[in-house]
Amino acid sequence: MERKTLTKLSNWQSALAEWHEYAQRRSFAWGQWDCTRFVISAIKAQTGVQVFNPTWKDKAEAEAALGEQTLPERFANVLETEWHQRPVAPNLAQNGDPVVCWALRRDTRRRGYLAGIAYNGRVIVPVREGVGHIPINEITHAWRLGNG
């Protein structure tokens, strides 16, 4: 079986900036533009590859899809096991890296895991209108894409 890998596009930085502009015009919606789909979309913008195709349509289905896994475990399974991307120390996250944070969740008003993208010294995540910002020091897990 062929080993699946990711390679950043030669124009990944401008593609990421364009994706960021697009993301700012979107609104959070479970099953359409939740944190997992947000990250998958950012990865696709940088690599041209859809790494995962979630099938859930709402929060309950998203939580059921995780099963016993935590969000970091699910991302590790997809990025490390399926796509052979290497984890990096959270403090080494660079622009475009997919990350998981332990931060205040707006939907529950409690701390929990959120997936996002390292971008210009912070983490961006989808929110009700556009993108929200989480301090970079909230990252608990990070992965380096392809040749980055």
Side-chain angles (χ1 to χ4, degrees), residues 63-97:
E63 289 173 345
L66 276 176
E68 295 296 314
Q69 290 184 315
T70 63
L71 191 62
E73 289 169 338
R74 180 62 177 142
F75 269 90
N77 185 45
V78 170
L79 294 172
E80 294 173 41
T81 305
E82 294 179 32
W83 289 96
H84 308 284
Q85 300 306 287
R86 63 186 168 99
V88 296
N91 63 321
L92 298 178
Q94 298 175 357
N95 263 6
D97 285 347

Side-chain angles (χ1 to χ4, degrees), residues 40-54:
I40 291 167
S41 176
I43 292 170
K44 186 173 183 180
Q46 295 174 81
T47 66
V49 176
Q50 179 88 17
V51 295
F52 176 60
N53 191 19

Side-chain angles (χ1 to χ4, degrees), residues 102-122:
W102 182 254
L104 183 65
R105 293 178 52 118
R106 292 180 183 198
D107 62 335
T108 63
R109 303 261 188 247
R110 289 181 289 189
R111 292 181 70 78
Y113 286 116
L114 293 168
I117 295 292
Y119 192 77
N120 291 341
R122 60 190 184 271

Side-chain angles (χ1 to χ4, degrees), residues 2-147:
E2 186 176 328
R3 179 180 161 125
K4 298 193 294 188
T5 60
L6 295 173
T7 302
K8 285 186 177 179
L9 302 170
S10 61
N11 67 335
W12 74 269
Q13 292 164 318
S14 61
L16 181 63
E18 288 174 20
W19 171 85
H20 182 248
E21 292 295 320
Y22 165 77
Q24 290 182 79
R25 296 188 301 273
R26 299 284 311 259
S27 298
F28 180 93
W30 283 103
Q32 296 174 27
W33 193 245
D34 51 48
C35 66
T36 298
R37 291 175 187 270
F38 178 88
V39 170
I40 291 167
S41 176
I43 292 170
K44 186 173 183 180
Q46 295 174 81
T47 66
V49 176
Q50 179 88 17
V51 295
F52 176 60
N53 191 19
T55 58
W56 57 79
K57 295 177 179 50
D58 57 32
K59 182 179 181 180
E61 288 182 12
E63 289 173 345
L66 276 176
E68 295 296 314
Q69 290 184 315
T70 63
L71 191 62
E73 289 169 338
R74 180 62 177 142
F75 269 90
N77 185 45
V78 170
L79 294 172
E80 294 173 41
T81 305
E82 294 179 32
W83 289 96
H84 308 284
Q85 300 306 287
R86 63 186 168 99
V88 296
N91 63 321
L92 298 178
Q94 298 175 357
N95 263 6
D97 285 347
V99 301
V100 174
C101 299
W102 182 254
L104 183 65
R105 293 178 52 118
R106 292 180 183 198
D107 62 335
T108 63
R109 303 261 188 247
R110 289 181 289 189
R111 292 181 70 78
Y113 286 116
L114 293 168
I117 295 292
Y119 192 77
N120 291 341
R122 60 190 184 271
V123 176
I124 55 173
V125 296
V127 294
R128 187 173 303 152
E129 293 181 13
V131 297
H133 303 107
I134 295 174
I136 204 90
N137 64 350
E138 302 274 348
I139 295 173
T140 59
H141 301 77
W143 295 269
R144 185 67 30 83
L145 291 181
N147 52 344

